Amino acid sequence: EEVNQGWPRGYYLWVWPNPRPEVAVDALTIVPGTSRFILAAITLGHTPEWPLVRRPRRPHKITLKDSEHALRPFDLTVEVDRGVATYPYPLPAQRLDEETPHMRGFGAPLNRRSSPAYTEIAAIPSATITVKQDGKALTCAAWRQLEQEGTAENEKVRLELIDPGKNWVKVTVVDDATGRPLPCRVAFHSPEGVPYPPHGHHAPLFSNMDTWHVDIGGDVRLGQITYAYIDGKCEGWLPRGSVLVDAACGYEYEPLRARVEIEPGQERLTLRLRRWIDMNAQRFFSGDSHVHFLSAQGSHTEAAAEDLNVVNLLQSQWGHLFTNTEEFTGRPHPSSDGRRIVYVSQENRQHILGHLTLLGLREPVMPWGSGGPGEAELGGSLETTLSHWADACHAQGGTVVIPHLPTPNCEPAVLIATGRADAVEMLEHLNYEHLEYYRYLNAGYRLPLVAGTDKMSANTPVGLYRTYAHIPEDEPFTYDNWCKALRAGRTFVSGGALIWIQVEGQSPGDLLRVPGGGSVELSAQAQSIFPLHSLQILMNGQVVADTKSDAGSRSLSLRAQLHVKDDCWLAARCAGPDYRAQPHFDARRRGIFAHTSPVYVTTGDHYLVSSPEAVQYMLTLVDGGLSYIRHMSLQHPPGHVHHHHRHENHQAYLEGPFHEAREALHQILHKKGIAH
């Protein structure tokens, strides 16, 4: 049996050449021996060739010569009547080493069109290759011609054999300074763009179903390029001749996009990545606040390859699906060298009130979801609020983060007004995310900024958006100390850049006292493996100082003197031209940027910034949440169930935090002399 594994009761194929081909076969007589058998079928062939494929598949390039067909969304199939063909996939629209050179190591634009493309074919000489688009044949080509001449074409399609031969090569990627194997992600391609993944890894990452649960773990796709996560070593087939290598290890190593030559007989290849900055040496430790679906071990593997110190892997509920349940242990999982920590904690979710990331849980906080689909089970009732989840987390010494601010947006204002939120997460470089964060700061709340990926598929690298938290020299790098630094606001968030700000020697999270007001000196610096175009200083959300590079620069810095007459917050941010962000090639097309948490400045005894408009906005959100709880949420009739919280008045239990928030916000307006 040539295709499927043979079992004792399976059928087997037997090729029987005619021993006297000059004599016609008139009849075939089967003479039974001692064993019984069934003869299922006999097929007679007249071609002078072995009828079963005896040569491995070879790569072919498909070019649609007619622009009308070439520009259509990808929908090609390849059929082989006497052989097999792999699924066809798009090739890059132009050579990968010419695509977006500033994004080396971080992907390339995805070609969604039908041409060019590639497939791999194994066939017998008399086979016919048929290329179809939208189910309609564009060309039929003889395999024998393709093998002999290397090309076959008509007025619509050109098929080209692109097989220079290949070697099984063992690859080692080393740290340029130490010479030791370096965990990273790596991709190999032929000059035409055909991927040659390390053995055990995928070539393209695509899903044939309408789902975002795509090939989780081991690989990541950034646009056109699929990378393999390796521990510094890998092996597999590489084409002879020129090979494009694309490799990266986070934001502190120079990424690599280069051509190497693989000679006939070559068995080994060594690549080098150079660390250009060591943030750990500056006591900054990076972490992703928001990761789903990976295993704990997979989180360690990918964190090492992305040069990430902390992974917050979150068990969660998605309707009737519960994920990462078996990973939860209630304690950190440090790597053997102490450089990385994986902590399996929890994201609790409600589709109207919002989501909540609970970091550092010792025990799960129940229930994980509430209020029905799609976060909780179908037909589920509203059993609790985000505020009560936050209280349960704090009771365990955990850290509460509002993820992907501001959506969903019914209860974050309550969490912030009542002091239940330790930080807010910026998931994308979007205008409304910035405005929402600045509103809460302008309402007077000291809110640290964190970043995470909300990784749910292999279309997003862990740590693409990350939090850098500063841990003082006299404190060791531990998970508790990382969370402590996060809560203190000693953070900046990075989508590819690194950024620092100091105001009169004070750093993010600090409170600077300027009695009666006066001038303050500040400095800011941004550095990146990607070109930066703007570095800005914000005061209460407004740009008050900036510098720019029209051509883009790896480093920007500025010094400024500002006059402070009232309490304010100051922060630095950097990105592309006018703070517009150049996109990554992840699934969300997130922007390349960085943003610090604020330095707070007070001219009196107590820090007090309170924009009445921002406070009124928060009150509107609080009242909207109360309206949802009272009129729209699904609830059991009073007395029908015994709730997990054991309060007799379930409605009062749900509404309690919202009334606390309304009272706190009214107090702020009262201090401003504004009646509500």
Side-chain angles (χ1 to χ4, degrees):
E1 186 173 274
E2 296 292 324
V3 177
N4 298 315
Q5 182 175 356
W7 296 100
R9 295 189 179 186
Y11 287 103
Y12 292 82
L13 298 178
W14 178 262
V15 178
W16 187 15
N18 185 353
R20 298 176 62 188
E22 73 280 1
V23 178
V25 177
D26 182 59
L28 184 65
T29 302
I30 306 297
V31 180
T34 57
S35 300
R36 301 177 65 185
F37 64 91
I38 297 174
L39 180 63
I42 297 176
T43 300
L44 183 65
H46 295 282
T47 55
E49 62 185 3
W50 189 261
L52 304 178
V53 176
R54 278 291 180 262
R55 186 168 182 175
R57 68 184 190 271
R58 306 175 75 186
H60 288 72
K61 182 178 180 179
I62 306 169
T63 304
L64 304 188
K65 298 163 68 175
D66 181 85
S67 61
E68 177 189 351
H69 294 284
L71 297 179
R72 290 180 186 175
F74 191 86
D75 188 13
L76 294 183
T77 56
V78 177
E79 297 177 358
V80 183
D81 60 354
R82 298 175 183 177
V84 293
T86 63
Y87 284 117
Y89 290 104
L91 286 169
Q94 65 184 74
R95 292 168 67 102
L96 284 173
D97 53 346
E98 298 172 354
E99 292 268 26
T100 52
H102 64 284
M103 295 298 291
R104 64 191 190 281
F106 283 83
L110 178 63
N111 180 19
R112 300 183 183 275
R113 298 171 177 174
S114 290
S115 182
Y118 78 96
T119 186
E120 295 182 275
I121 299 172
I124 62 176
S126 63
T128 299
I129 316 301
T130 303
V131 178
K132 295 183 177 181
Q133 185 180 51
D134 299 329
K136 298 178 181 178
L138 297 179
T139 188
C140 292
W143 174 249
R144 180 179 284 107
Q145 178 187 350
L146 267 173
E147 281 214 302
Q148 292 176 351
E149 301 179 12
T151 61
E153 62 183 307
N154 63 9
E155 68 279 1
K156 293 183 179 179
V157 182
R158 174 182 172 87
L159 286 173
E160 182 182 358
L161 178 63
I162 47 175
D163 182 16
K166 57 187 179 182
N167 297 0
W168 189 273
V169 180
K170 294 184 177 181
V171 179
T172 304
V173 183
V174 301
D175 183 300
D176 189 58
T178 67
R180 296 174 181 170
L182 178 69
C184 64
R185 51 180 165 80
V186 65
F188 304 96
H189 292 84
S190 71
E192 297 83 6
V194 176
Y196 284 80
H199 189 69
H201 295 268
H202 299 87
L205 276 176
F206 285 95
S207 171
N208 294 324
M209 296 178 289
D210 184 19
T211 173
W212 35 260
H213 298 92
V214 182
D215 293 328
I216 299 298
D219 307 285
V220 66
R221 179 165 67 90
L222 294 176
Q224 189 69 33
I225 301 180
T226 296
Y227 297 87
Y229 282 114
I230 66 172
D231 63 0
K233 296 181 179 181
C234 62
E235 57 186 279
W237 293 113
L238 290 181
R240 292 173 183 167
S242 185
V243 175
L244 177 67
V245 178
D246 215 56
C249 180
Y251 297 141
E252 299 174 36
Y253 280 86
E254 290 285 353
L256 175 69
R257 181 173 293 171
R259 289 195 172 272
V260 299
E261 293 295 319
I262 302 298
E263 303 293 340
Q266 181 175 340
E267 297 180 353
R268 296 187 179 274
L269 174 66
T270 299
L271 305 170
R272 310 183 79 87
L273 293 181
R274 182 180 66 85
R275 182 182 284 279
W276 66 275
I277 192 170
D278 188 347
M279 294 299 287
N280 287 177
Q282 298 185 30
R283 304 299 296 166
F284 279 98
F285 296 88
S286 59
D288 190 330
S289 60
H290 198 159
V291 177
H292 293 290
F293 302 154
L294 289 178
S295 66
Q297 178 56 49
S299 297
H300 271 293
T301 299
E302 299 192 16
E306 297 290 352
D307 197 29
L308 190 69
N309 297 119
V310 178
V311 175
N312 291 286
L313 178 62
L314 307 176
Q315 66 177 12
S316 196
Q317 178 181 359
W318 321 76
H320 291 268
L321 170 67
F322 294 85
T323 58
N324 290 109
T325 308
E326 73 282 8
E327 305 285 347
F328 188 94
T329 63
R331 57 182 174 81
H333 297 260
S335 60
S336 58
D337 61 5
R339 290 181 55 84
R340 289 173 302 282
I341 301 170
V342 174
Y343 203 117
V344 183
S345 207
Q346 195 165 313
E347 181 187 13
N348 287 27
R349 306 161 73 239
Q350 212 284 338
H351 61 289
I352 298 295
L353 299 179
H355 295 189
L356 206 60
T357 302
L358 310 176
L359 305 184
L361 291 180
R362 271 57 176 177
E363 297 179 357
V365 172
M366 305 292 185
W368 299 3
S370 185
E375 325 294 36
E377 60 275 5
L378 185 66
S381 59
L382 183 63
E383 288 300 299
T384 190
T385 64
L386 276 65
S387 295
H388 291 111
W389 282 330
D391 292 342
C393 178
H394 283 149
Q396 299 182 35
T399 301
V400 175
V401 176
I402 302 175
H404 41 67
L405 189 81
T407 55
N409 202 23
C410 228
E411 199 176 341
V414 175
L415 296 165
I416 293 168
T418 59
R420 288 179 165 96
D422 296 312
V424 299
E425 177 186 270
M426 189 170 287
L427 193 69
E428 298 185 59
H429 182 279
L430 297 174
N431 188 51
Y432 70 85
E433 294 200 338
H434 285 71
L435 291 179
E436 195 79 356
Y437 179 51
Y438 299 162
R439 276 194 183 112
Y440 288 124
L441 293 176
N442 288 340
Y445 297 97
R446 295 171 62 176
L447 280 174
L449 190 61
V450 303
T453 55
D454 200 2
K455 176 180 172 66
M456 289 188 282
S457 78
N459 295 324
T460 299
V462 65
L464 188 75
Y465 268 32
R466 61 184 63 186
T467 308
Y468 278 91
H470 185 265
I471 298 176
E473 286 279 357
D474 58 351
E475 297 179 12
F477 168 56
T478 65
Y479 185 78
D480 286 344
N481 283 338
W482 188 82
C483 288
K484 176 183 173 183
L486 186 154
R487 294 191 300 270
R490 299 196 295 266
T491 66
F492 70 85
V493 300
S494 172
L498 309 175
I499 193 167
W500 300 262
I501 184 175
Q502 283 209 327
V503 183
E504 295 288 342
Q506 302 299 302
S507 300
D510 291 339
L511 177 64
L512 172 66
R513 299 186 183 279
V514 185
S519 293
V520 296
E521 295 273 353
L522 63 82
S523 63
Q525 183 181 19
Q527 292 181 284
S528 179
I529 57 175
F530 308 105
L532 299 173
H533 297 80
S534 61
L535 172 62
Q536 300 177 338
I537 301 297
L538 301 175
M539 176 187 285
N540 293 350
Q542 301 299 314
V543 178
V544 292
D546 70 315
T547 187
K548 63 182 180 179
S549 169
D550 292 336
S553 173
R554 291 278 303 267
S555 179
L556 293 175
S557 61
L558 65 81
R559 290 184 174 274
Q561 188 174 59
L562 301 177
H563 182 71
V564 173
K565 62 178 181 178
D566 297 305
D567 290 11
C568 64
W569 58 268
L570 297 166
R573 65 185 191 182
C574 64
D578 300 320
Y579 193 60
R580 299 188 307 274
Q582 302 295 319
H584 279 288
F585 291 113
D586 68 310
R588 295 176 182 263
R589 299 287 282 159
R590 288 173 242 236
I592 297 169
F593 88 118
H595 198 304
T596 70
S597 287
V599 177
Y600 305 94
V601 182
T602 181
T603 59
D605 295 329
H606 304 285
Y607 177 74
L608 181 62
V609 173
S610 56
S611 160
E613 293 79 12
V615 176
Q616 292 281 8
Y617 172 77
M618 292 177 67
L619 275 168
T620 300
L621 293 177
V622 173
D623 290 342
L626 272 173
S627 180
Y628 165 73
I629 291 172
R630 291 170 177 172
H631 306 297
M632 299 294 292
S633 64
L634 295 179
Q635 296 186 39
H636 293 285
H640 184 68
V641 299
H642 184 72
H643 296 282
H644 75 286
H645 52 71
R646 300 191 300 278
H647 288 257
E648 291 186 8
N649 190 330
H650 182 59
Q651 185 72 22
Y653 171 81
L654 296 176
E655 291 189 14
F658 289 78
H659 293 300
E660 292 176 38
R662 293 182 87 252
E663 177 63 25
L665 293 169
H666 283 307
Q667 287 294 330
I668 294 175
L669 293 177
H670 179 73
K671 290 178 182 178
K672 282 285 186 179
I674 300 174
H676 182 74

